[in-house]
Amino acid sequence: MRSWVYIPLLALLLIFTSCGTGGSPTGGPAETPSTGEPRYGGTLVRGHNYGDPANLDPIVKNEVAAQMVTMNLFDTLVHVDPAAKEIRAGLAESWEISPDGLTYTFHLREGAKFHNGREIHAQDIAYTFQRLVDPKSASPFANRLEGVVGYGAFRQGEAAGLAGVETPDDYTVVLRLEKPKPGLLYDLGNPATGIVPREEVERLGDDFGQQPVGSGPFQFVSWKKDDQIVLKAFPDYWGGRPYLDQVVFRIMKEEATRDAEFQAGNLDVMVIGEAQYKRYSQDPTCKPNMIEVPELFTRALHLNTTKPPLDNVKVRQAINYAVDKPLVIEKVLSNKAYVAVGPIPSSSPAFNPDLKGYGYDPEKARQLLKEAGLEDGFDLEVIAYNYWASSVEGLMGYLQEVGIRVKLVQMDSTTVFDRTASGDFQAAFNSYGGNLDPVMTMYRIFHSSNFGRAGNTTHYHNPQVDALLEEALYEMDEARRIQLVQEAEKIVVEEAPWFFFNYNKAVMMHQPWVHGLQPVPTDIDYQDLTKVWVDKK
Amino acid sequence: MGSFILRRLLQTAAILTGITLIVFLLMNVASGDPLWALLDQKSATLDEETAQNIRQQWGLDQPLTVQYLRFLGNALKGDLGRSFISRQKVTQAVLERAPATLKLGLAALFIAVALGLSAGLRPRCGGDPSGIFSAWWWPSQVFPSPSSGWAFF
Amino acid sequence: MGTWSKVWRHPGMMVGLLLVLTVVAVALLAPYLTSYSPTRGDLLESLEPPSAKHPFGTDLQGRDVMTRVFYGARISLLVGLVVQGVALSLGTSMGLLAGYYRGRWDDILTGIITLVQSFPGLLFAIAVMAVLGPSLYNVFIALGLVSWTAMARLVRSETLSLRESLFVQASKAAGGSSFHIIIRHILPNLLGPLLVLFTLGFATAILSEASLSFLGLGVQPPDPSWGSMLADGRERVWDAPWLMLYPGLAIFFTILGLNLLGDGLRDLLDPKLKGR
């Protein structure tokens, strides 16, 4: 604790050094002539913001910290291209869906191999799915295969396996469903369903997550906890070996550390925060090496619709009218966000550009509060984990202006989730999203069957919204699904169970010698590294 | 003499048990549901059936007393169990991180002792013995301070 | 009188006293020293560098940093005082019990002290905060619970030797009650070392509050504390160094003052140096 005394000295030092370098980020040669022709070789060093992932078994954890690594190690039946919003061939070369939407037949490509050299067969797919659903695996992602015939029986221990997965021959997998599940292919493209080799899982047991073996474009080399994870190119990858020889994830939670390492040229790629964004976006030499994307995350103040006075729709609308969102986003978030109109963000295929959200209108907010019988305002307790404190502080002044006295209580994220899951809160600030399938997202957070932990933390209940979302859930026609979900969204926005604040703008900085990075909306850290190459000597 | 050693040993055992109990209780009351640790912060949802399955597999559906006694029994046999998240053996996880923590702690101790001794041994008028005292006072102040290192044990 | 002249001749202690008094004055007079609100700002003035209007600049929410440093002094001093008050009363009574009555009391209390000390203090405080929830009062409780052990140990060992000393034995022989002996003979002799530990612990408490605030567990925004101001400024050291510089300097000088004062008190009250 004594080291605290050095902080002012350090700060002093920084004032002088920052003027000296002018914030130029390139440690290497300023001009890197690029032929535009991808080259093989080299190492990509990525900053890993989220702390050590602890486990790289795809069925144990799929948070960003783990998934940005495992997506390179484990291949899936199909590939979801989140930027193009389309589904492509993966380990399955092709597939057919029966007209009733209940039977999926996948044709595997021949010659695809695991990192241990063995060829992948249909039985491996079946084993992987069994393992994911098996209650003994205790996977939080088992429900990705919910709806497959025999899912319930296997989960309840009434069956020894998952009946709905069949392997008529070595290269064919048939998946039978109880009900149509239009979002199934999204789930089969998620690393949680990444294909694993049975012999390695059985050999390593619980340590499989420490020395993962998959069939993805990169294979596991080493892992030094809280320090770095190293992967190398898998030469026998069915899509051809990736350009890079090696990928290194350096685990660095401190923004200042990443920043310093990037400026020194020791990091090739990093995701940046608001403070860095302000600095880098103002520097013309940095701008060309910056990738921006509206991510599929909606930051909002979740309003518990069962707690008075928030059970009154007028009060919730008043909160939405009270805040000058563009100004808060510009000042507090350094413009690293987009103004939200509704729950569905602008990079979603279901984004509705015609939707009218709430503008800044404090008069109207006061009027609505008056109509709700709250001329004297009311006290609002907002819970949030400390990451969101400055966002909430930015809202406070505006809410105070119309008479809503906000009290912020910070707690750790698990406590926030506990309280929102049990309904023991008035308002909670959070970011929610990441799912490319808008129906699933909306269904989880606004359908009345999902109160609490399952996603509908505000206990929002509207029969019309329920009906629209149920219909969308089983609708196979994509255009019709989107139409249904947009209708539901319109009602949700009108009834305002959230204060719709902003959609995250994710920003990635890379060195000039790095090519092929994509603006990925599901999370900018989910980079397809088979396309990335470097031309540094 | 023998009884003194025995008494000391008993006292130590009591303190060690007390520590495990306090840590166990604090972890249970202080941090929220452990299941959240498996999910991403930005899409943390879990249906009840899945949650119940995970609790059962890890014995988290048992009463706290049963959980604690089970832990204590295994610990006495030298088995600290497996991490809920990494699924590694806890002993192994601790050993993996020990070198870094020790390095940090020892470096801090070394610097503190060096500084403390040089400051404390500066001859004072009257040869004040408190110089020696302050030499050891400092490291004791400094050593627990890399708390983030200890915290994640 | 003699004591005061010694204070005069101890320049380190004078500087320390001056620094501490300045901080106390700023804390008490904060509303008169500045016209801005410590909690409400103007977003249009967000992150302005130091100027005549805002001598220490403004923060992300457009609040005047100088005002927040001034009001933050109240919280820091309050935390130091209350936490050390708790530590002093708890530590002294526990130490006296263990050291004076010895035997079973000593075994149990030494056990408890060892138990508490075997946790890293701050970690223990964090866990306690997590149970109680973040607020200023809980900061008092959490930090008080972890900082009494050093005093208890000191009091215990001093009492152990004092109770064998001639004047205690004499008083006992004359029929003095335990209460009388503790109040009249033991406590006065503990005053010096306790005062020293109090000032040094005061500094530690301020830093601990800063650490807790840093983790979002201390004073809740928008109320200012030096620790939370440092935490907020951390990400912007490059763009807005004034966010960390001024609360950092405030902590630095306050701790320096308290340490100088504590050192001075030690020299002043050390019985071995008294006769010089």
Side-chain angles (χ1 to χ4, degrees), chain B residues 55-135:
Chain B
R55 286 208 190 88
Q56 258 166 22
Q57 290 300 320
W58 288 92
L60 294 168
D61 54 343
Q62 304 287 318
L64 274 190
T65 42
V66 175
Q67 290 185 40
Y68 176 68
L69 290 176
R70 194 182 278 172
F71 156 77
L72 203 62
N74 289 334
L76 284 176
K77 285 183 265 172
D79 174 15
L80 293 179
R82 282 183 180 268
S83 155
F84 177 69
I85 300 164
S86 74
R87 298 194 175 185
Q88 288 183 283
K89 285 213 176 78
V90 169
T91 33
Q92 193 190 337
V94 169
L95 286 178
E96 251 173 41
R97 288 168 172 85
T101 308
L102 283 181
K103 223 185 281 174
L104 192 67
L106 287 177
L109 183 70
F110 177 77
I111 293 169
V113 171
L115 286 178
L117 275 176
S118 54
L121 291 183
R122 178 174 48 104
R124 281 203 185 187
C125 324
D128 173 30
S130 71
I132 305 289
F133 168 69
S134 71

Side-chain angles (χ1 to χ4, degrees), chain A residues 22-302:
Chain A
S24 167
T26 43
E31 291 291 316
T32 323
S34 167
T35 53
E37 209 39 46
R39 333 182 337 175
Y40 283 88
T43 297
L44 183 76
V45 185
R46 288 180 65 177
H48 185 292
N49 301 7
Y50 304 96
D52 197 90
N55 196 322
L56 295 177
D57 184 336
I59 69 163
V60 174
K61 272 183 116 190
N62 82 340
E63 50 169 12
V64 183
Q67 193 168 323
M68 65 188 275
V69 181
T70 53
M71 62 179 288
N72 304 294
L73 292 170
F74 294 94
D75 208 355
T76 44
L77 272 187
V78 298
H79 289 180
V80 178
D81 182 337
K85 293 164 192 138
E86 61 181 39
I87 292 178
R88 298 190 180 145
L91 285 173
E93 221 166 10
S94 63
W95 59 90
E96 294 109 38
I97 307 172
S98 65
D100 59 3
L102 293 178
T103 309
Y104 286 63
T105 309
F106 296 93
H107 304 285
L108 303 191
R109 58 183 80 239
E110 293 182 28
K113 284 181 180 157
F114 284 117
H115 297 153
N116 65 6
R118 185 173 70 74
E119 198 192 2
I120 300 171
H121 293 136
Q123 292 74 16
D124 292 304
I125 317 298
Y127 171 73
T128 298
F129 291 174
Q130 298 271 1
R131 176 173 179 261
L132 174 63
V133 179
D134 191 339
K136 283 199 207 67
S137 304
S139 170
F141 315 114
N143 60 10
R144 300 230 171 233
L145 294 181
E146 197 174 356
V148 174
V149 170
Y151 176 90
F154 190 21
R155 295 290 288 172
Q156 302 310 319
E158 292 153 12
L162 192 57
V165 189
E166 288 158 16
T167 53
D169 64 61
D170 277 0
Y171 299 103
T172 311
V173 179
V174 179
L175 215 53
R176 286 186 294 115
L177 303 181
E178 278 159 355
K179 274 189 259 179
K181 192 178 180 184
L184 180 71
L185 289 177
Y186 287 117
D187 283 328
L188 296 181
N190 187 285
T193 57
I195 309 306
V196 296
R198 176 177 206 151
E199 67 275 16
E200 301 292 340
V201 174
E202 285 173 355
R203 181 173 67 87
L204 294 162
D206 277 336
D207 288 331
F208 182 73
Q210 306 300 311
Q211 295 150 265
V213 182
S215 66
F218 290 87
Q219 61 190 99
F220 179 78
V221 177
S222 69
W223 181 0
K224 203 165 164 237
K225 292 288 157 65
D226 296 317
D227 185 12
Q228 62 176 32
I229 299 171
V230 181
L231 314 182
K232 68 172 186 205
F234 177 44
D236 293 335
Y237 184 60
W238 60 261
R241 67 150 278 185
Y243 298 117
L244 297 165
D245 282 342
Q246 200 170 234
V247 181
V248 179
F249 296 88
R250 291 187 57 195
I251 297 156
M252 298 195 266
K253 278 187 101 165
E254 277 299 313
E255 187 175 294
T257 319
R258 291 195 299 270
D259 214 44
E261 284 294 271
F262 186 80
Q263 304 227 2
N266 297 333
L267 270 189
D268 295 327
V269 177
M270 64 169 180
V271 172
I272 60 174
E274 279 101 22
Q276 290 168 301
Y277 180 63
K278 190 171 182 182
R279 179 156 29 93
Y280 283 112
S281 59
Q282 282 166 358
D283 188 333
T285 61
C286 299
K287 200 78 180 153
N289 302 324
M290 183 182 264
I291 299 171
E292 295 182 6
V293 64
E295 269 185 348
L296 284 164
F297 291 102
T298 307
R299 282 89 165 260
L301 195 58
H302 298 203

Side-chain angles (χ1 to χ4, degrees), chain A residues 4 279 390 393 400-401 410, chain C residues 40 61 63 134 220-221:
Chain A
W4 279 95
R279 179 156 29 93
S390 58
E393 274 187 273
Q400 181 96 51
E401 209 56 53
Q410 297 178 83
Chain C
R40 285 287 293 277
Q61 312 284 351
R63 296 171 297 215
Q220 292 301 294

Side-chain angles (χ1 to χ4, degrees), chain A residues 63 383-388 410-424 428-430 453 457, chain B residues 26-42 44 55 84-85, chain C residues 130-131 217:
Chain A
E63 50 169 12
I383 59 171
Y385 49 96
N386 58 4
Y387 184 81
W388 301 117
Q410 297 178 83
M411 43 192 71
D412 67 323
S413 55
T414 56
T415 314
V416 173
F417 297 148
D418 272 0
R419 301 249 325 242
T420 51
S422 64
D424 173 25
F429 194 95
N430 220 332
R453 188 198 295 273
T457 54
Chain B
L26 276 181
M27 285 327 244
N28 263 289
V29 191
S31 51
D33 192 329
L35 299 197
W36 298 122
L38 300 172
L39 303 169
D40 198 80
Q41 290 198 330
K42 288 177 279 189
R55 286 208 190 88
F84 177 69
I85 300 164
Chain C
V131 176
L217 289 170

Side-chain angles (χ1 to χ4, degrees), chain A residues 1 4-5 7-8 14-15 18 254 275 278-279 331-332 386 390 393-394 396-398 400-401 408-410, chain C residues 40 43 47 60-61 63 134 204 207 211 214-216 220-221 230 234-239 241 244 248 252:
Chain A
M1 257 157 7
W4 279 95
V5 297
I7 285 171
L14 285 176
I15 301 175
S18 67
E254 277 299 313
K278 190 171 182 182
R279 179 156 29 93
K331 296 298 181 183
V332 179
N386 58 4
S390 58
E393 274 187 273
M396 266 181 191
Y398 287 101
Q400 181 96 51
E401 209 56 53
L408 169 63
V409 181
Q410 297 178 83
Chain C
R40 285 287 293 277
L43 272 187
L47 293 181
L60 188 63
Q61 312 284 351
R63 296 171 297 215
T204 312
L207 293 177
S211 308
F214 206 80
L215 299 169
Q220 292 301 294
L230 277 181
R234 181 173 52 159
E235 281 176 7
R236 290 169 202 273
V237 269
W238 298 91
D239 326 73
M244 285 188 93
F252 179 77

Side-chain angles (χ1 to χ4, degrees), chain C residues 19-20 23 248-258:
Chain C
L19 283 174
V20 173
V23 177
L249 285 175
I251 293 183
F252 179 77
F253 282 116
T254 309
I255 305 298
L256 186 70
L258 284 163

